[in-house]
Amino acid sequence: MRTPGPPRRERRPRGAVPRAPRGPRVRLAGVRWALGAALAALLLAGCIEVPPPPPKPPLEPKDLKVPEGVGLEMACTPTGVELCFDARDNNCNGVIDEGCGLHTGILQFTIAWEEAEADVDLNVYDPAGELARVGEPTASGLMKDRDCPRVSGECQEQNVENVFLTEGEPARGRYRVVVRLDKLNDATAPVRVRLSARVGQRSYSMALDLSPSPASEEKSVEFTL
């Protein structure tokens, strides 16, 4: 009885292309190819620079309303180093009375006057109509940090009042700033008051003359953000 030998190999004609193997090896190669393509796509995506978001437009007051006959100083003229308690942006960096102990923010309103006897009030109303008070920020973040003159001496004999935005972005809407002569006392009328406002990175300023009469004891400025 003959012992069966090894299986005979099938003869292939010359020039014929060998058939690709089938089975698990082919599937594994496909998975490896897919993983390689995905990795290449991730590496390519990492090299693509994503453009930054467009910058926000600068804050600028619109529909500005000032008292009749009052000139608005919109262009800042450098006058040297910053002076304290004059409600001016002396060095034109957009901050009013910096380094003088007053708080500042992206919104700031400051008044100053020379007649020490006169009592002048700065009242700032946010778009919701809420009044900024000393130590009590409004819902939009406006707060008053100086109310002068005071018997307690906290103003250090400086006639200045200041309202600022404590944090965050300012509320959009209509703002109203009222400067009022509360008491003339022994001062001589009219009392000249300097009102300055910081809106974003720009400052605006004006001079207001107040007298103890219904028509001139207070003046207001309005604008929209």
Side-chain angles (χ1 to χ4, degrees):
M1 182 176 181
R2 297 179 59 183
T3 303
R8 298 179 59 182
R9 299 176 61 183
E10 182 181 355
R11 293 180 176 275
R12 185 171 62 247
R14 293 184 180 181
V17 179
R19 291 180 298 176
R22 300 179 181 275
R25 291 185 178 181
V26 175
R27 290 194 294 270
L28 180 61
V31 171
R32 288 177 177 174
W33 182 89
L35 290 176
L39 179 60
L42 289 175
L43 292 176
L44 181 60
C47 296
I48 298 176
E49 294 185 2
V50 178
K56 295 182 179 179
L59 287 177
E60 184 177 356
K62 301 176 182 178
D63 301 326
L64 189 62
K65 180 182 178 182
V66 300
E68 185 178 356
V70 174
L72 177 64
E73 301 173 16
M74 299 181 63
C76 183
T77 303
T79 58
V81 296
E82 192 74 8
L83 301 178
C84 288
F85 311 121
D86 65 348
R88 289 180 180 271
D89 179 17
N90 303 104
N91 58 5
C92 294
N93 68 342
V95 184
I96 304 166
D97 283 0
E98 61 181 304
C100 303
L102 300 181
H103 290 86
T104 186
I106 198 169
L107 286 183
Q108 181 188 5
F109 308 92
T110 308
I111 62 171
W113 62 101
E114 294 184 359
E115 291 77 3
E117 301 85 357
D119 186 357
V120 182
D121 290 332
L122 172 64
N123 298 318
V124 180
Y125 299 86
D126 66 12
E130 191 174 357
L131 173 64
R133 302 181 184 277
V134 177
E136 301 177 10
T138 66
S140 63
L142 284 181
M143 186 170 70
K144 197 173 190 178
D145 75 337
R146 194 70 64 92
D147 187 3
C148 301
R150 282 290 185 90
V151 179
S152 60
E154 68 182 49
C155 296
Q156 301 177 352
E157 299 183 356
Q158 301 294 338
N159 300 314
V160 62
E161 294 197 0
N162 186 62
V163 173
F164 68 103
L165 181 66
T166 56
E167 62 182 355
E169 288 291 321
R172 304 294 171 161
R174 192 76 174 167
Y175 287 79
R176 185 167 178 254
V177 182
V178 180
V179 182
R180 183 177 185 275
L181 178 62
D182 186 39
K183 295 179 181 179
L184 182 63
N185 296 323
D186 295 330
T188 302
V191 177
R192 171 151 290 198
V193 181
R194 170 66 56 176
L195 167 64
S196 290
R198 175 191 181 185
V199 181
Q201 300 303 320
R202 295 190 61 181
S203 61
Y204 306 84
S205 185
M206 67 188 70
L208 305 173
D209 290 328
L210 305 179
S211 300
S213 68
S216 59
E217 67 182 6
E218 76 174 33
K219 294 186 179 180
S220 63
V221 176
E222 298 181 16
F223 66 92
T224 301
L225 280 184

